[in-house]
Amino acid sequence: MNETIYSYHVPGPPDGLWYDYKLDPSPAKDKFSTHTHDMFEINYFISGRARFSVEGNIYHLQPDDVLIMRPAETHMPIMDEPEPYERMTIHMSLAYLKKFCPECERLLAPFVDRKLGTLNQYHNHQFVSQHWKSCLQAMAAQAKSSFDERTYINVNLLAFLAELNLAFMFRDLEQDKLESNELSVRIIRYI
């Protein structure tokens, strides 16, 4: 049975936001099924023994991994062991983001500028700083006692999206560097 540690929901669609911090002490393997949403999704994996299937690609989870899915991208957690499964999940619509940040669409590149089922997983070391984690944790730890719960969540969500976007850009640069190195090696071998 899931224990909800913190939950905040703005009804939708089309302009909804769901933030949930949950701990499932003994997740059943058959509890989760493949599904999609009409919202963007962020999963922050804190603890447990699990994998995640996105469009049929399997990601092996480690603590402090982040998984992202865009609307209509099929996904499902796969429980390997009945160990406690702790995670934070955010579902957000584009309409919701645009309400408080009209320019936010550019921050969604990690979700939309990739092929389905690829580049969904981010490890802790792929982020430029640890600020991303502080943003997600602050939502659960301090939002209720803040000056305005919704504004506090929005500010931290926006900061997290900026951190994710940096990780995505650096990941892209590293990939370009690898591909250009491969081309250089092939040219040198040919010559």
Side-chain angles (χ1 to χ4, degrees), residues 140-187:
Q142 298 155 346
K144 277 210 186 295
S145 61
S146 72
F147 57 94
D148 175 358
E149 191 174 16
R150 185 174 185 166
T151 300
Y152 195 80
I153 286 174
N154 291 346
V155 166
N156 280 289
L157 176 59
L158 191 58
F160 171 79
L161 290 174
E163 292 291 318
L164 180 65
N165 205 37
L166 282 174
F168 178 73
M169 287 188 323
F170 283 118
R171 178 186 250 181
D172 238 15
L173 290 173
E174 287 176 9
Q175 187 62 34
D176 287 348
K177 189 176 178 182
L178 286 172
E179 288 173 4
S180 67
N181 284 344
E182 286 178 18
L183 179 60
S184 301
V185 168
R186 285 187 289 161
I187 290 171

Side-chain angles (χ1 to χ4, degrees), residues 48-96:
R49 300 251 318 162
R51 293 172 289 143
F52 219 91
S53 171
V54 183
E55 292 291 325
N57 292 325
I58 303 296
Y59 295 97
H60 297 271
L61 300 178
Q62 301 167 9
D64 289 336
D65 276 357
V66 171
L67 286 146
I68 61 170
M69 278 71 62
R70 66 177 172 229
E73 199 167 28
T74 60
H75 58 280
M76 169 180 92
I78 303 165
M79 297 297 111
D80 291 328
E81 304 277 335
E83 289 185 24
Y85 175 41
E86 186 177 5
R87 74 272 187 201
M88 292 179 190
T89 307
I90 300 170
H91 295 90
M92 64 200 161
S93 69
L94 180 57
Y96 180 84

Side-chain angles (χ1 to χ4, degrees), residues 25-41:
S26 184
K29 289 183 179 190
D30 59 349
K31 177 182 176 182
F32 303 96
S33 60
T34 301
H35 60 281
T36 64
H37 308 284
D38 58 355
M39 302 170 99
F40 295 92
E41 183 174 340

Side-chain angles (χ1 to χ4, degrees), residues 5 82 114 182:
I5 297 169
R114 58 179 176 76
E182 286 178 18

